[in-house]
Amino acid sequence: MSRDNNNSGRPKKPRSSTRNSDSPRSLKSGDSGSKPFKKSFPKAGERNSDSKRSDDTSYQARMNKKYSKTEQEPFITNQGEDKKPFSKSAPSRGGSRPGSFDVRDKYERGSLKYGRRPGTEGNERDQDKAKSFVQQRRFKKVEQDVHKDTIRLNKYIANSGICSRREADELITQGLVEVNGKVVTEMGYQVEKTDKVVFDGQNITPEKPVYVLLNKPKGYISTTKDDKARKTVMDLVANASPYRVFPVGRLDRSTTGVILLTNDGHMTKKLTHPSFDAKKIYHVTLDKKLTNEDLKLIAEGIRLDEGIAEVDQISFIEGKPRNEVGIEIHIGWNRVIRRIFQRLGYEVEALDRVMFAGLTKKNIKRGHWRILSDLEVNNLKML
């Protein structure tokens, strides 16, 4: 049976379409009675200002209605600065935009974490590159000990260079340490600087060993005092240590280069004694070119008043003229380098010691000094 059959007897109503006659489909059907759009779409490049204005007006009306009782103020980050509205937009990678966080701001204000501004690092480097932070900290510790009236006995022994504090505690408990003629076994015993401390039958001092490496300039003599009031190396290292240090060996007044100063008497005796063969390397500048024959004669040994001056090694310096040579010796005779070349008819115009007992003047300006590291001190003790 067909759906269009009207069983009720009522007249059949014609089927009407629910589609809008103004739709695009009706225009395609060719119906001449259809009406065109009242408002056309904006062309490319044009702005629909009417719709935008109406949307903005409706949005503003809703916002005013919703927040009519609340007074809105922009978000303020810091007092005294320009007020900036709060923005949740993320910063773009290509650069900053208004309302976004500018990462360059923290570099312009400086690092608040470390309390300094960019560009101040250069001023710190210009002060004294030879004195590092570790060296200054060691010097402060030693200086604090000097100004104390009393000191613990184990630290007193450790500062003398005999052993560590832990080993000193064992020596004290074993009764091997005497203070003013009495055996002391008490832990934490305080010793005054005027007290006499004896260990293993030998007097000890509470001075902590200090090792200062100096790049000696020309015009200074290597003595602690001078009767003629000439400049000494002690004037250059006056602030290096609160303890009194002494030069290890000597350099002529006109000789420059590496020289070690310390208050360790045992180390001084070790490095200056000929039996320990402390190596020394010199850069020699002569008044004229050195011949190959004379170079061989110096390498074989030149006879001087004390005997034959043995030279460990001698050679020309690469990239330098023939009047500049490098020489390595271990003997410590007075003015031995100058006397060797004078015997062959040469005059030494400049003499610079570039190495002494494995220590070099690297990173030390002329007239400056530095404190030896623990590794360098251990190397000296193993010689």
Side-chain angles (χ1 to χ4, degrees):
M1 182 178 293
S2 175
R3 294 182 181 179
D4 295 336
N5 292 338
N6 190 359
N7 298 331
S8 62
R10 290 181 293 182
K12 182 177 180 181
K13 295 181 180 180
R15 177 178 293 180
S16 62
S17 176
T18 60
R19 296 176 180 173
N20 188 1
S21 60
D22 296 335
S23 64
R25 291 189 179 184
S26 63
L27 295 176
K28 292 181 180 180
S29 62
D31 188 1
S32 59
S34 61
K35 297 180 180 181
F37 285 104
K38 295 181 180 180
K39 186 178 292 187
S40 60
F41 290 104
K43 295 181 180 181
E46 294 182 356
R47 181 178 179 183
N48 193 351
S49 59
D50 296 339
S51 60
K52 180 68 175 180
R53 190 179 298 109
S54 60
D55 293 340
D56 294 343
T57 304
S58 60
Y59 175 77
Q60 186 66 26
R62 292 196 302 270
M63 293 296 101
N64 293 339
K65 183 178 179 180
K66 185 176 181 180
Y67 300 99
S68 59
K69 297 182 180 180
T70 306
E71 184 179 358
Q72 299 296 317
E73 293 183 358
F75 179 77
I76 301 175
T77 55
N78 291 323
Q79 297 293 339
E81 297 182 357
D82 295 339
K83 296 182 179 180
K84 298 180 181 179
F86 179 77
S87 176
K88 294 183 179 180
S89 57
S92 58
R93 291 187 178 181
S96 61
R97 56 188 179 185
S100 63
F101 175 71
D102 191 357
V103 295
R104 295 175 297 178
D105 184 54
K106 70 175 183 178
Y107 297 104
E108 294 173 358
R109 290 183 291 107
S111 177
L112 301 180
K113 179 179 180 181
Y114 298 101
R116 62 175 183 265
R117 295 181 178 272
T120 57
E121 294 83 1
N123 297 332
E124 297 175 356
R125 298 193 196 100
D126 294 338
Q127 294 179 357
D128 192 355
K129 296 181 181 180
K131 300 178 183 179
S132 63
F133 173 75
V134 178
Q135 296 172 10
Q136 293 178 0
R137 186 175 60 182
R138 292 175 181 173
F139 175 73
K140 289 181 180 179
K141 288 183 178 180
V142 175
E143 191 176 18
Q144 290 175 359
D145 295 340
V146 172
H147 296 293
K148 290 182 178 179
D149 296 333
T150 60
I151 186 175
R152 291 171 62 95
L153 182 58
N154 60 349
K155 190 174 182 180
Y156 187 102
I157 300 173
N159 290 348
S160 63
I162 297 176
C163 58
S164 63
R165 292 190 188 184
R166 184 173 299 179
E167 295 173 345
D169 291 335
E170 297 178 358
L171 298 177
I172 294 172
T173 55
Q174 294 175 5
L176 301 178
V177 181
E178 296 182 1
V179 179
N180 297 329
K182 297 181 180 180
V183 178
V184 176
T185 58
E186 177 185 352
M187 302 302 297
Y189 184 83
Q190 295 290 330
V191 182
E192 297 182 0
K193 295 182 179 180
T194 56
D195 293 342
K196 182 180 179 181
V197 181
V198 177
F199 168 73
D200 196 17
Q202 186 178 6
N203 296 335
I204 58 177
T205 60
E207 293 186 0
K208 188 175 183 179
V210 179
Y211 306 90
V212 182
L213 189 65
L214 171 68
N215 188 357
K216 176 185 172 298
K218 192 174 182 179
Y220 289 81
I221 59 176
S222 303
T223 57
T224 56
K225 294 181 180 180
D226 184 65
D227 299 335
K228 300 179 181 180
R230 292 176 296 181
K231 295 183 292 186
T232 68
V233 293
M234 306 305 298
D235 300 331
L236 300 174
V237 297
N239 299 325
S241 171
Y243 302 129
R244 188 180 180 185
V245 294
F246 303 91
V248 179
R250 290 189 177 186
L251 290 179
D252 297 336
R253 186 179 181 184
S254 57
T255 303
T256 62
V258 178
I259 185 171
L260 180 66
L261 298 97
T262 181
N263 59 344
D264 189 347
H266 177 71
M267 181 66 67
T268 302
K269 182 179 179 180
K270 177 180 179 181
L271 295 178
T272 54
H273 200 275
S275 60
F276 288 95
D277 294 339
K279 301 295 182 181
K280 298 176 282 282
I281 299 178
Y282 292 86
H283 181 185
V284 186
T285 303
L286 304 174
D287 59 341
K288 57 184 178 180
K289 295 182 179 180
L290 182 67
T291 63
N292 294 329
E293 293 77 9
D294 293 338
L295 182 69
K296 293 180 181 179
L297 291 176
I298 295 174
E300 294 174 357
I302 300 296
R303 179 174 292 278
L304 299 177
D305 297 338
E306 296 88 346
I308 297 178
E310 297 180 357
V311 175
D312 300 328
Q313 189 177 357
I314 183 173
S315 64
F316 294 104
I317 300 176
E318 185 178 357
K320 299 289 183 178
R322 289 291 179 128
N323 66 326
E324 298 185 22
V325 295
I327 183 171
E328 178 182 340
I329 61 174
H330 65 274
I331 55 178
W333 299 346
N334 185 27
R335 299 174 58 88
V336 61
I337 299 293
R338 299 180 184 274
R339 291 161 55 195
I340 288 175
F341 288 98
Q342 287 176 356
R343 183 59 62 93
L344 299 177
Y346 298 90
E347 290 293 334
V348 177
E349 294 183 347
L351 184 61
D352 183 42
R353 184 159 71 177
V354 297
M355 194 270 287
F356 172 71
L359 303 173
T360 64
K361 59 178 183 178
K362 183 179 179 181
N363 299 329
I364 307 179
K365 294 181 180 181
R366 190 80 72 192
H368 289 68
W369 54 267
R370 68 175 179 87
I371 303 295
L372 293 187
S373 63
D374 295 337
L375 179 60
E376 291 173 327
V377 174
N378 292 333
N379 293 335
L380 291 177
K381 292 181 179 180
M382 289 187 297
L383 291 177

